Amino acid sequence: MVNYPVAVFAADWTLIAWNAMWSALIGDPHQRPLADRNLIRATFYGSAAWTPIVRIDAEAGRPDEKEQRALVADLRHAVTTYPDDEALRALVAEVRAASPPFRELWDSGAAGRHASTRKLVQHPLAGELVLDCDVLTAPDSDLKIILYTAAAGSRDSERLDFLRVSAVHSVT
């Protein structure tokens, strides 16, 4: 899957692996502290680690509440799967204390798996890209594989091609 931005996240939504295309799209995660590689923190704190990503809420033009609900529900699934995991409980307590939107969603009690969304990416070189984001979960695993794609032949696909070329040149 070298032609598309792909990353692997742990059950707590911490980024643990990624390819060159991911770095070309999002920026090199090695340049950020480990705490900034957690998507829950990034979503509810607005971390600079995910600056190019703008979630699409077609009706309001604000962070996608549907995605926020999906992330919180997925995190709750992880907490119920691993009830003795202190790090998971600490993450929930930290974000719950710092983010009223997270607290409200957490207190709603929803649980489930995050599956897909559409995102608008403001990239400093490639410009604006609308990408489909699919969350793949391997059977019997809590690892999440995130894959960004664009419609074939679209302007967004051409911009991903541009990033692919830049990713190849940055690696060589």
Side-chain angles (χ1 to χ4, degrees):
M1 297 177 111
V2 296
N3 290 328
Y4 299 99
V6 178
V8 178
F9 288 80
D12 69 349
W13 285 97
T14 295
L15 179 64
I16 57 174
W18 57 90
N19 66 6
M21 278 294 292
W22 179 272
S23 291
L25 180 67
I26 307 297
D28 184 3
H30 283 116
Q31 303 301 317
R32 295 168 178 82
L34 186 57
D36 283 349
R37 296 183 202 170
N38 181 278
L39 189 56
I40 298 293
R41 283 186 187 103
T43 298
F44 292 96
Y45 289 7
S47 171
W50 307 89
T51 301
I53 300 295
V54 177
R55 287 134 187 105
I56 295 175
D57 180 339
E59 294 181 22
R62 61 178 191 264
D64 185 352
E65 292 172 8
K66 180 180 176 184
E67 181 181 7
Q68 290 178 345
R69 281 191 304 274
L71 283 169
V72 172
D74 193 277
L75 183 62
R76 179 178 297 286
H77 175 79
V79 168
T80 58
T81 301
Y82 306 106
D84 297 327
D85 188 313
E86 290 294 327
L88 272 173
R89 291 196 316 220
L91 174 66
V92 170
E94 169 195 333
V95 182
R96 198 171 175 283
S99 171
F102 178 88
R103 184 171 44 255
E104 181 179 326
L105 291 168
W106 186 262
D107 291 349
S108 76
R113 292 285 190 159
H114 186 8
S116 65
T117 189
R118 178 164 281 185
K119 295 186 180 179
L120 175 67
V121 178
Q122 300 286 353
H123 194 276
L125 297 176
E128 186 176 287
L129 297 92
V130 175
L131 302 174
D132 292 317
C133 174
D134 293 303
V135 181
L136 313 169
T137 304
D140 300 322
S141 171
D142 284 311
L143 294 178
K144 298 150 187 35
I145 302 166
I146 308 299
L147 169 67
Y148 284 108
T149 58
S154 68
R155 173 188 64 96
D156 302 309
S157 179
E158 291 173 2
R159 291 181 178 190
L160 272 182
D161 288 341
F162 168 78
L163 288 177
R164 189 173 303 110
V165 170
S166 70
V168 168
H169 288 296
S170 69
V171 172
T172 58

